[in-house]
């Protein structure tokens, strides 16, 4: 994968400061939520099964059951 300058290849950015990565050395420390990087971790919002790549160690609070 090529280097993504927006998220420093973390694949997530700060929701409040989208120019800053959410993880890593340059991570934003404002306490805001993380959102998928629109450059390298984009998804199809029309497809509910297309989910973004999650950060390493991510544990979901709930699991969505398919109908």
């Amino acid at each position: 994968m090529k280097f993504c300058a927006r998220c420093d290849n973390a694949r997530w950015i700060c929701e409040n400061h989208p120019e800053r990565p959410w993880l890593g050395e340059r991570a934003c420390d404002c306490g805001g939520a993380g959102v998928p990087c629109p450059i390298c971790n984009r998804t199809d919002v029309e497809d509910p099964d297309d989910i973004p790549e999650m950060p390493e160690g991510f544990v979901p609070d709930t699991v969505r059951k398919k109908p």
Side-chain angles (χ1 to χ4, degrees):
M1 167 168 75
K2 293 182 180 179
F3 182 75
C4 180
R6 185 174 213 168
C7 69
D8 290 350
N9 279 3
R11 316 250 325 141
W12 289 77
I13 58 172
C14 176
E15 182 178 53
N16 298 331
H17 306 99
E19 71 283 355
R20 303 279 309 271
W22 193 56
L23 302 166
E25 192 175 303
R26 284 190 331 114
C28 187
D29 59 0
C30 78
V35 293
C37 178
I39 305 299
C40 66
N41 199 11
R42 71 174 58 170
T43 59
D44 181 2
V45 295
E46 299 293 322
D47 181 358
D49 291 326
D50 189 17
I51 60 171
E53 183 179 311
M54 298 301 179
E56 187 176 321
F58 175 80
V59 178
D61 289 336
T62 60
V63 177
R64 180 177 52 174
K65 293 182 181 179
K66 291 187 179 188

Short mmCIF file of all heavy atoms in Angstrom, two decimals:
data_model
loop_
_atom_site.label_atom_id
_atom_site.label_comp_id
_atom_site.label_asym_id
_atom_site.label_seq_id
_atom_site.Cartn_x
_atom_site.Cartn_y
_atom_site.Cartn_z
N MET A 1 0.85 -1.17 0.00
CA MET A 1 0.00 0.00 0.00
C MET A 1 0.89 1.23 0.00
O MET A 1 1.89 1.30 0.68
CB MET A 1 -0.90 -0.03 1.24
CG MET A 1 -1.58 1.28 1.49
SD MET A 1 -2.90 1.27 2.72
CE MET A 1 -2.01 1.19 4.23
N LYS A 2 0.48 2.22 -0.76
CA LYS A 2 1.18 3.49 -0.79
C LYS A 2 0.95 4.23 0.52
O LYS A 2 0.00 3.97 1.24
CB LYS A 2 0.69 4.35 -1.95
CG LYS A 2 1.03 3.79 -3.30
CD LYS A 2 0.55 4.71 -4.37
CE LYS A 2 0.89 4.14 -5.73
NZ LYS A 2 0.43 5.00 -6.79
N PHE A 3 1.82 5.17 0.82
CA PHE A 3 1.70 5.94 2.05
C PHE A 3 0.58 6.97 1.92
O PHE A 3 0.52 7.73 0.97
CB PHE A 3 3.02 6.65 2.36
CG PHE A 3 2.98 7.42 3.64
CD1 PHE A 3 3.03 6.76 4.85
CD2 PHE A 3 2.86 8.79 3.64
CE1 PHE A 3 2.99 7.46 6.05
CE2 PHE A 3 2.81 9.50 4.82
CZ PHE A 3 2.88 8.84 6.02
N CYS A 4 -0.32 6.98 2.89
CA CYS A 4 -1.41 7.97 2.93
C CYS A 4 -0.98 9.09 3.88
O CYS A 4 -0.87 8.87 5.09
CB CYS A 4 -2.72 7.33 3.40
SG CYS A 4 -4.09 8.51 3.46
N ALA A 5 -0.75 10.27 3.36
CA ALA A 5 -0.28 11.40 4.16
C ALA A 5 -1.36 11.93 5.10
O ALA A 5 -1.04 12.54 6.11
CB ALA A 5 0.21 12.51 3.24
N ARG A 6 -2.61 11.72 4.76
CA ARG A 6 -3.69 12.25 5.61
C ARG A 6 -3.77 11.52 6.95
O ARG A 6 -3.95 12.12 7.99
CB ARG A 6 -5.02 12.17 4.89
CG ARG A 6 -6.12 12.81 5.68
CD ARG A 6 -7.39 12.84 4.88
NE ARG A 6 -8.14 14.03 5.22
CZ ARG A 6 -9.17 14.46 4.54
NH1 ARG A 6 -9.55 13.83 3.45
NH2 ARG A 6 -9.82 15.51 4.93
N CYS A 7 -3.65 10.18 6.94
CA CYS A 7 -3.81 9.41 8.17
C CYS A 7 -2.52 8.71 8.61
O CYS A 7 -2.53 7.97 9.58
CB CYS A 7 -4.91 8.37 7.99
SG CYS A 7 -4.50 7.04 6.84
N ASP A 8 -1.42 8.94 7.91
CA ASP A 8 -0.15 8.26 8.21
C ASP A 8 -0.30 6.75 8.18
O ASP A 8 0.29 6.03 8.98
CB ASP A 8 0.42 8.69 9.56
CG ASP A 8 0.93 10.13 9.56
OD1 ASP A 8 1.02 10.73 8.48
OD2 ASP A 8 1.23 10.64 10.65
N ASN A 9 -1.13 6.25 7.28
CA ASN A 9 -1.42 4.82 7.10
C ASN A 9 -2.12 4.19 8.31
O ASN A 9 -2.15 2.98 8.44
CB ASN A 9 -0.18 4.02 6.75
CG ASN A 9 0.15 4.13 5.28
OD1 ASN A 9 -0.51 4.83 4.53
ND2 ASN A 9 1.18 3.45 4.86
N ALA A 10 -2.69 5.01 9.18
CA ALA A 10 -3.45 4.49 10.32
C ALA A 10 -4.85 4.07 9.87
O ALA A 10 -5.53 3.35 10.57
CB ALA A 10 -3.56 5.53 11.42
N ARG A 11 -5.29 4.55 8.68
CA ARG A 11 -6.59 4.26 8.08
C ARG A 11 -7.74 4.96 8.79
O ARG A 11 -8.89 4.79 8.42
CB ARG A 11 -6.85 2.75 8.00
CG ARG A 11 -5.68 1.97 7.52
CD ARG A 11 -5.63 1.32 6.22
NE ARG A 11 -6.81 0.76 5.66
CZ ARG A 11 -7.07 0.86 4.37
NH1 ARG A 11 -6.25 1.50 3.58
NH2 ARG A 11 -8.15 0.32 3.88
N TRP A 12 -7.46 5.76 9.85
CA TRP A 12 -8.47 6.51 10.59
C TRP A 12 -7.97 7.93 10.84
O TRP A 12 -6.78 8.14 11.05
CB TRP A 12 -8.78 5.82 11.92
CG TRP A 12 -9.53 4.56 11.71
CD1 TRP A 12 -9.02 3.37 11.28
CD2 TRP A 12 -10.93 4.36 11.83
NE1 TRP A 12 -10.02 2.44 11.15
CE2 TRP A 12 -11.21 3.02 11.49
CE3 TRP A 12 -11.98 5.17 12.22
CZ2 TRP A 12 -12.48 2.48 11.51
CZ3 TRP A 12 -13.25 4.63 12.25
CH2 TRP A 12 -13.50 3.30 11.90
N ILE A 13 -8.90 8.90 10.82
CA ILE A 13 -8.58 10.29 11.09
C ILE A 13 -9.47 10.80 12.22
O ILE A 13 -10.45 10.16 12.58
CB ILE A 13 -8.77 11.18 9.83
CG1 ILE A 13 -10.21 11.09 9.32
CG2 ILE A 13 -7.76 10.81 8.75
CD1 ILE A 13 -10.56 12.06 8.22
N CYS A 14 -9.13 11.95 12.77
CA CYS A 14 -9.92 12.55 13.84
C CYS A 14 -11.19 13.16 13.23
O CYS A 14 -11.12 13.87 12.23
CB CYS A 14 -9.11 13.64 14.54
SG CYS A 14 -10.02 14.55 15.80
N GLU A 15 -12.32 12.88 13.84
CA GLU A 15 -13.59 13.42 13.36
C GLU A 15 -13.61 14.95 13.48
O GLU A 15 -14.13 15.64 12.61
CB GLU A 15 -14.74 12.82 14.15
CG GLU A 15 -16.11 13.27 13.70
CD GLU A 15 -17.21 12.61 14.48
OE1 GLU A 15 -17.19 12.67 15.73
OE2 GLU A 15 -18.09 12.02 13.84
N ASN A 16 -13.03 15.49 14.55
CA ASN A 16 -13.03 16.93 14.78
C ASN A 16 -11.96 17.66 13.97
O ASN A 16 -12.12 18.84 13.66
CB ASN A 16 -12.81 17.24 16.26
CG ASN A 16 -13.91 16.68 17.13
OD1 ASN A 16 -15.04 16.55 16.71
ND2 ASN A 16 -13.56 16.32 18.36
N HIS A 17 -10.87 16.98 13.68
CA HIS A 17 -9.74 17.58 12.95
C HIS A 17 -9.34 16.62 11.83
O HIS A 17 -8.36 15.88 11.96
CB HIS A 17 -8.58 17.83 13.91
CG HIS A 17 -8.96 18.65 15.08
ND1 HIS A 17 -9.24 18.10 16.33
CD2 HIS A 17 -9.15 19.99 15.20
CE1 HIS A 17 -9.57 19.07 17.15
NE2 HIS A 17 -9.53 20.23 16.50
N PRO A 18 -10.08 16.60 10.73
CA PRO A 18 -9.86 15.59 9.68
C PRO A 18 -8.51 15.66 8.97
O PRO A 18 -8.19 14.78 8.20
CB PRO A 18 -11.01 15.85 8.70
CG PRO A 18 -11.56 17.18 9.04
CD PRO A 18 -11.20 17.48 10.45
N GLU A 19 -7.72 16.66 9.28
CA GLU A 19 -6.38 16.73 8.69
C GLU A 19 -5.35 15.98 9.55
O GLU A 19 -4.20 15.87 9.17
CB GLU A 19 -5.95 18.18 8.49
CG GLU A 19 -5.62 18.94 9.77
CD GLU A 19 -6.83 19.41 10.58
OE1 GLU A 19 -7.99 19.25 10.13
OE2 GLU A 19 -6.61 19.94 11.67
N ARG A 20 -5.79 15.45 10.71
CA ARG A 20 -4.89 14.77 11.63
C ARG A 20 -5.24 13.28 11.73
O ARG A 20 -6.40 12.91 11.78
CB ARG A 20 -5.01 15.36 13.05
CG ARG A 20 -4.74 16.84 13.18
CD ARG A 20 -3.28 17.20 13.25
NE ARG A 20 -2.51 16.47 14.22
CZ ARG A 20 -2.33 16.81 15.48
NH1 ARG A 20 -2.91 17.88 15.96
NH2 ARG A 20 -1.56 16.09 16.27
N PRO A 21 -4.22 12.41 11.83
CA PRO A 21 -4.48 10.98 12.05
C PRO A 21 -5.11 10.76 13.42
O PRO A 21 -4.91 11.56 14.34
CB PRO A 21 -3.11 10.33 11.98
CG PRO A 21 -2.15 11.37 11.57
CD PRO A 21 -2.80 12.70 11.71
N TRP A 22 -5.83 9.68 13.57
CA TRP A 22 -6.45 9.34 14.85
C TRP A 22 -5.53 8.45 15.69
O TRP A 22 -5.62 8.40 16.90
CB TRP A 22 -7.78 8.63 14.60
CG TRP A 22 -8.65 8.50 15.80
CD1 TRP A 22 -9.11 9.50 16.60
CD2 TRP A 22 -9.19 7.30 16.33
NE1 TRP A 22 -9.91 8.99 17.59
CE2 TRP A 22 -9.98 7.63 17.45
CE3 TRP A 22 -9.10 5.97 15.97
CZ2 TRP A 22 -10.66 6.69 18.20
CZ3 TRP A 22 -9.79 5.03 16.71
CH2 TRP A 22 -10.56 5.40 17.82
N LEU A 23 -4.61 7.75 15.04
CA LEU A 23 -3.67 6.85 15.69
C LEU A 23 -2.25 7.20 15.25
O LEU A 23 -2.06 7.84 14.23
CB LEU A 23 -3.96 5.40 15.31
CG LEU A 23 -5.35 4.87 15.63
CD1 LEU A 23 -5.60 3.56 14.88
CD2 LEU A 23 -5.51 4.69 17.11
N GLY A 24 -1.28 6.78 16.01
CA GLY A 24 0.10 6.93 15.61
C GLY A 24 0.82 8.11 16.23
O GLY A 24 0.32 8.78 17.14
N GLU A 25 2.01 8.36 15.71
CA GLU A 25 2.90 9.39 16.26
C GLU A 25 2.31 10.79 16.16
O GLU A 25 2.49 11.60 17.06
CB GLU A 25 4.24 9.32 15.52
CG GLU A 25 5.33 10.11 16.16
CD GLU A 25 6.66 9.90 15.47
OE1 GLU A 25 7.10 8.73 15.38
OE2 GLU A 25 7.25 10.90 15.04
N ARG A 26 1.63 11.12 15.07
CA ARG A 26 1.04 12.45 14.88
C ARG A 26 -0.44 12.48 15.26
O ARG A 26 -1.16 13.40 14.89
CB ARG A 26 1.14 12.88 13.41
CG ARG A 26 2.46 13.33 12.95
CD ARG A 26 2.44 13.96 11.54
NE ARG A 26 1.41 13.47 10.64
CZ ARG A 26 0.39 14.22 10.18
NH1 ARG A 26 0.25 15.46 10.55
NH2 ARG A 26 -0.48 13.70 9.34
N ALA A 27 -0.92 11.50 16.00
CA ALA A 27 -2.34 11.38 16.33
C ALA A 27 -2.86 12.63 17.02
O ALA A 27 -2.18 13.23 17.86
CB ALA A 27 -2.58 10.17 17.20
N CYS A 28 -4.08 13.01 16.68
CA CYS A 28 -4.74 14.13 17.32
C CYS A 28 -5.07 13.72 18.76
O CYS A 28 -5.54 12.62 19.00
CB CYS A 28 -6.02 14.48 16.56
SG CYS A 28 -6.80 15.99 17.15
N ASP A 29 -4.84 14.61 19.69
CA ASP A 29 -5.09 14.28 21.10
C ASP A 29 -6.27 15.06 21.68
O ASP A 29 -6.36 15.27 22.88
CB ASP A 29 -3.84 14.49 21.94
CG ASP A 29 -3.34 15.93 21.89
OD1 ASP A 29 -3.96 16.77 21.22
OD2 ASP A 29 -2.32 16.21 22.55
N CYS A 30 -7.21 15.46 20.81
CA CYS A 30 -8.35 16.27 21.27
C CYS A 30 -9.41 15.43 21.97
O CYS A 30 -10.30 15.96 22.62
CB CYS A 30 -8.97 17.04 20.12
SG CYS A 30 -10.04 16.05 19.04
N GLY A 31 -9.34 14.11 21.83
CA GLY A 31 -10.33 13.24 22.45
C GLY A 31 -11.54 12.96 21.58
O GLY A 31 -12.47 12.28 21.99
N GLY A 32 -11.54 13.48 20.36
CA GLY A 32 -12.65 13.25 19.45
C GLY A 32 -12.67 11.82 18.92
O GLY A 32 -11.70 11.06 19.07
N ALA A 33 -13.77 11.48 18.32
CA ALA A 33 -13.94 10.14 17.75
C ALA A 33 -13.10 9.99 16.49
O ALA A 33 -12.74 10.97 15.84
CB ALA A 33 -15.41 9.91 17.42
N GLY A 34 -12.81 8.77 16.16
CA GLY A 34 -12.12 8.46 14.92
C GLY A 34 -13.12 8.12 13.84
O GLY A 34 -14.18 7.56 14.12
N VAL A 35 -12.78 8.47 12.60
CA VAL A 35 -13.61 8.12 11.45
C VAL A 35 -12.69 7.55 10.38
O VAL A 35 -11.51 7.87 10.34
CB VAL A 35 -14.40 9.34 10.90
CG1 VAL A 35 -15.43 9.82 11.88
CG2 VAL A 35 -13.48 10.47 10.51
N PRO A 36 -13.22 6.68 9.51
CA PRO A 36 -12.39 6.11 8.46
C PRO A 36 -11.81 7.20 7.57
O PRO A 36 -12.46 8.19 7.26
CB PRO A 36 -13.36 5.23 7.66
CG PRO A 36 -14.49 4.95 8.59
CD PRO A 36 -14.59 6.15 9.48
N CYS A 37 -10.57 7.02 7.18
CA CYS A 37 -9.91 7.97 6.28
C CYS A 37 -10.62 7.95 4.93
O CYS A 37 -10.79 6.89 4.33
CB CYS A 37 -8.45 7.58 6.10
SG CYS A 37 -7.55 8.66 4.96
N PRO A 38 -11.05 9.12 4.42
CA PRO A 38 -11.75 9.15 3.14
C PRO A 38 -10.85 8.87 1.94
O PRO A 38 -11.32 8.65 0.85
CB PRO A 38 -12.33 10.56 3.08
CG PRO A 38 -11.42 11.37 3.94
CD PRO A 38 -10.94 10.44 5.02
N ILE A 39 -9.54 8.86 2.17
CA ILE A 39 -8.60 8.60 1.08
C ILE A 39 -8.32 7.10 0.95
O ILE A 39 -8.44 6.54 -0.13
CB ILE A 39 -7.28 9.35 1.33
CG1 ILE A 39 -7.51 10.85 1.52
CG2 ILE A 39 -6.28 9.08 0.21
CD1 ILE A 39 -8.15 11.55 0.34
N CYS A 40 -7.97 6.44 2.06
CA CYS A 40 -7.52 5.05 1.96
C CYS A 40 -8.40 4.03 2.66
O CYS A 40 -8.11 2.84 2.61
CB CYS A 40 -6.09 4.94 2.47
SG CYS A 40 -5.92 5.27 4.24
N ASN A 41 -9.48 4.47 3.33
CA ASN A 41 -10.34 3.53 4.04
C ASN A 41 -11.82 3.86 3.77
O ASN A 41 -12.65 3.81 4.66
CB ASN A 41 -10.05 3.57 5.54
CG ASN A 41 -10.54 2.34 6.29
OD1 ASN A 41 -10.93 1.35 5.69
ND2 ASN A 41 -10.53 2.41 7.59
N ARG A 42 -12.08 4.19 2.53
CA ARG A 42 -13.46 4.58 2.19
C ARG A 42 -14.32 3.36 1.96
O ARG A 42 -13.84 2.29 1.62
CB ARG A 42 -13.50 5.52 0.99
CG ARG A 42 -13.17 4.91 -0.32
CD ARG A 42 -13.37 5.87 -1.48
NE ARG A 42 -12.56 7.05 -1.29
CZ ARG A 42 -12.37 7.97 -2.20
NH1 ARG A 42 -12.92 7.86 -3.37
NH2 ARG A 42 -11.63 9.01 -1.97
N THR A 43 -15.62 3.55 2.18
CA THR A 43 -16.58 2.47 2.01
C THR A 43 -17.74 2.96 1.16
O THR A 43 -17.91 4.15 0.94
CB THR A 43 -17.13 2.00 3.37
OG1 THR A 43 -17.75 3.10 4.02
CG2 THR A 43 -16.04 1.44 4.25
N ASP A 44 -18.55 2.03 0.73
CA ASP A 44 -19.75 2.35 -0.03
C ASP A 44 -20.90 2.51 0.95
O ASP A 44 -21.37 1.53 1.54
CB ASP A 44 -20.03 1.23 -1.03
CG ASP A 44 -21.26 1.48 -1.89
OD1 ASP A 44 -21.89 2.56 -1.75
OD2 ASP A 44 -21.59 0.60 -2.70
N VAL A 45 -21.36 3.75 1.15
CA VAL A 45 -22.41 4.00 2.14
C VAL A 45 -23.73 3.36 1.74
O VAL A 45 -24.60 3.15 2.60
CB VAL A 45 -22.62 5.51 2.39
CG1 VAL A 45 -21.38 6.12 3.03
CG2 VAL A 45 -22.97 6.24 1.12
N GLU A 46 -23.91 3.02 0.50
CA GLU A 46 -25.14 2.37 0.04
C GLU A 46 -25.16 0.88 0.38
O GLU A 46 -26.23 0.27 0.40
CB GLU A 46 -25.29 2.54 -1.48
CG GLU A 46 -25.38 3.98 -1.93
CD GLU A 46 -26.65 4.66 -1.48
OE1 GLU A 46 -27.71 4.00 -1.47
OE2 GLU A 46 -26.58 5.84 -1.12
N ASP A 47 -23.99 0.30 0.66
CA ASP A 47 -23.89 -1.13 0.94
C ASP A 47 -23.67 -1.33 2.44
O ASP A 47 -22.57 -1.07 2.95
CB ASP A 47 -22.73 -1.74 0.15
CG ASP A 47 -22.57 -3.23 0.36
OD1 ASP A 47 -23.34 -3.82 1.15
OD2 ASP A 47 -21.66 -3.80 -0.26
N PRO A 48 -24.67 -1.81 3.18
CA PRO A 48 -24.52 -1.97 4.63
C PRO A 48 -23.49 -3.04 5.03
O PRO A 48 -23.05 -3.07 6.17
CB PRO A 48 -25.93 -2.36 5.10
CG PRO A 48 -26.59 -2.90 3.90
CD PRO A 48 -25.98 -2.20 2.71
N ASP A 49 -23.10 -3.89 4.10
CA ASP A 49 -22.10 -4.92 4.40
C ASP A 49 -20.68 -4.44 4.14
O ASP A 49 -19.72 -5.14 4.44
CB ASP A 49 -22.38 -6.18 3.59
CG ASP A 49 -23.65 -6.89 4.04
OD1 ASP A 49 -23.94 -6.85 5.26
OD2 ASP A 49 -24.34 -7.46 3.19
N ASP A 50 -20.52 -3.24 3.56
CA ASP A 50 -19.20 -2.68 3.27
C ASP A 50 -18.77 -1.85 4.47
O ASP A 50 -19.17 -0.71 4.62
CB ASP A 50 -19.26 -1.83 2.00
CG ASP A 50 -17.89 -1.40 1.53
OD1 ASP A 50 -16.89 -2.00 1.97
OD2 ASP A 50 -17.82 -0.46 0.72
N ILE A 51 -17.98 -2.45 5.35
CA ILE A 51 -17.54 -1.73 6.54
C ILE A 51 -16.06 -1.36 6.39
O ILE A 51 -15.31 -2.04 5.70
CB ILE A 51 -17.75 -2.57 7.83
CG1 ILE A 51 -16.97 -3.88 7.76
CG2 ILE A 51 -19.22 -2.83 8.06
CD1 ILE A 51 -16.97 -4.64 9.06
N PRO A 52 -15.63 -0.27 7.04
CA PRO A 52 -14.22 0.13 6.92
C PRO A 52 -13.30 -0.84 7.65
O PRO A 52 -13.73 -1.58 8.53
CB PRO A 52 -14.20 1.50 7.59
CG PRO A 52 -15.34 1.49 8.52
CD PRO A 52 -16.39 0.62 7.88
N GLU A 53 -12.03 -0.81 7.28
CA GLU A 53 -11.03 -1.61 7.97
C GLU A 53 -10.88 -1.04 9.38
O GLU A 53 -10.68 0.16 9.56
CB GLU A 53 -9.71 -1.55 7.23
CG GLU A 53 -8.64 -2.41 7.84
CD GLU A 53 -7.36 -2.34 7.05
OE1 GLU A 53 -7.40 -2.48 5.82
OE2 GLU A 53 -6.31 -2.12 7.69
N MET A 54 -10.99 -1.88 10.37
CA MET A 54 -10.93 -1.43 11.76
C MET A 54 -9.50 -1.38 12.27
O MET A 54 -8.63 -2.12 11.79
CB MET A 54 -11.77 -2.36 12.65
CG MET A 54 -13.23 -2.37 12.30
SD MET A 54 -13.88 -0.71 12.44
CE MET A 54 -15.55 -0.96 11.97
N PRO A 55 -9.23 -0.54 13.28
CA PRO A 55 -7.89 -0.48 13.85
C PRO A 55 -7.51 -1.81 14.52
O PRO A 55 -8.38 -2.55 14.98
CB PRO A 55 -7.99 0.62 14.91
CG PRO A 55 -9.21 1.38 14.60
CD PRO A 55 -10.13 0.44 13.88
N GLU A 56 -6.22 -2.08 14.58
CA GLU A 56 -5.73 -3.30 15.22
C GLU A 56 -6.20 -3.34 16.67
O GLU A 56 -6.14 -2.35 17.39
CB GLU A 56 -4.21 -3.33 15.17
CG GLU A 56 -3.62 -4.61 15.65
CD GLU A 56 -2.11 -4.64 15.50
OE1 GLU A 56 -1.61 -4.14 14.47
OE2 GLU A 56 -1.46 -5.16 16.41
N GLY A 57 -6.72 -4.48 17.09
CA GLY A 57 -7.19 -4.64 18.45
C GLY A 57 -8.61 -4.16 18.69
O GLY A 57 -9.09 -4.21 19.82
N PHE A 58 -9.30 -3.72 17.66
CA PHE A 58 -10.67 -3.22 17.81
C PHE A 58 -11.60 -4.34 18.27
O PHE A 58 -11.57 -5.44 17.75
CB PHE A 58 -11.17 -2.66 16.48
CG PHE A 58 -12.61 -2.23 16.51
CD1 PHE A 58 -12.96 -1.02 17.05
CD2 PHE A 58 -13.60 -3.05 16.01
CE1 PHE A 58 -14.29 -0.61 17.08
CE2 PHE A 58 -14.93 -2.67 16.03
CZ PHE A 58 -15.27 -1.44 16.57
N VAL A 59 -12.41 -4.04 19.28
CA VAL A 59 -13.41 -4.99 19.78
C VAL A 59 -14.77 -4.30 19.74
O VAL A 59 -14.96 -3.28 20.40
CB VAL A 59 -13.09 -5.43 21.23
CG1 VAL A 59 -14.15 -6.36 21.75
CG2 VAL A 59 -11.73 -6.06 21.32
N PRO A 60 -15.71 -4.81 18.94
CA PRO A 60 -17.01 -4.15 18.85
C PRO A 60 -17.82 -4.29 20.13
O PRO A 60 -17.72 -5.30 20.84
CB PRO A 60 -17.69 -4.88 17.69
CG PRO A 60 -17.04 -6.20 17.64
CD PRO A 60 -15.63 -6.00 18.12
N ASP A 61 -18.62 -3.26 20.43
CA ASP A 61 -19.53 -3.31 21.59
C ASP A 61 -20.69 -4.25 21.32
O ASP A 61 -21.16 -4.94 22.21
CB ASP A 61 -20.09 -1.92 21.90
CG ASP A 61 -19.03 -1.00 22.46
OD1 ASP A 61 -18.05 -1.50 23.04
OD2 ASP A 61 -19.22 0.22 22.35
N THR A 62 -21.18 -4.24 20.09
CA THR A 62 -22.29 -5.08 19.69
C THR A 62 -21.97 -5.73 18.35
O THR A 62 -21.13 -5.24 17.60
CB THR A 62 -23.60 -4.27 19.54
OG1 THR A 62 -23.40 -3.28 18.54
CG2 THR A 62 -23.99 -3.62 20.84
N VAL A 63 -22.66 -6.80 18.07
CA VAL A 63 -22.49 -7.48 16.79
C VAL A 63 -23.82 -7.41 16.07
O VAL A 63 -24.85 -7.79 16.61
CB VAL A 63 -22.06 -8.94 16.99
CG1 VAL A 63 -21.95 -9.65 15.66
CG2 VAL A 63 -20.75 -9.01 17.74
N ARG A 64 -23.78 -6.90 14.84
CA ARG A 64 -25.01 -6.79 14.05
C ARG A 64 -25.32 -8.14 13.42
O ARG A 64 -24.48 -8.76 12.78
CB ARG A 64 -24.79 -5.74 12.96
CG ARG A 64 -25.98 -5.55 12.08
CD ARG A 64 -25.77 -4.46 11.08
NE ARG A 64 -24.54 -4.69 10.35
CZ ARG A 64 -24.14 -3.97 9.32
NH1 ARG A 64 -24.87 -2.96 8.93
NH2 ARG A 64 -23.03 -4.23 8.71
N LYS A 65 -26.54 -8.58 13.64
CA LYS A 65 -26.98 -9.85 13.07
C LYS A 65 -27.60 -9.58 11.71
O LYS A 65 -28.34 -8.61 11.53
CB LYS A 65 -28.01 -10.53 13.96
CG LYS A 65 -27.43 -10.98 15.28
CD LYS A 65 -28.48 -11.68 16.11
CE LYS A 65 -27.88 -12.11 17.44
NZ LYS A 65 -28.87 -12.76 18.28
N LYS A 66 -27.29 -10.45 10.76
CA LYS A 66 -27.89 -10.33 9.43
C LYS A 66 -29.30 -10.89 9.48
O LYS A 66 -29.55 -11.89 10.12
CB LYS A 66 -27.06 -11.08 8.41
CG LYS A 66 -25.72 -10.41 8.17
CD LYS A 66 -25.01 -11.07 7.04
CE LYS A 66 -23.68 -10.36 6.80
NZ LYS A 66 -23.01 -10.82 5.61
N PRO A 67 -30.23 -10.23 8.79
CA PRO A 67 -31.62 -10.70 8.78
C PRO A 67 -31.78 -12.04 8.10
O PRO A 67 -31.04 -12.51 7.37
CB PRO A 67 -32.38 -9.62 8.04
CG PRO A 67 -31.40 -8.69 7.45
CD PRO A 67 -30.06 -9.03 8.02
#
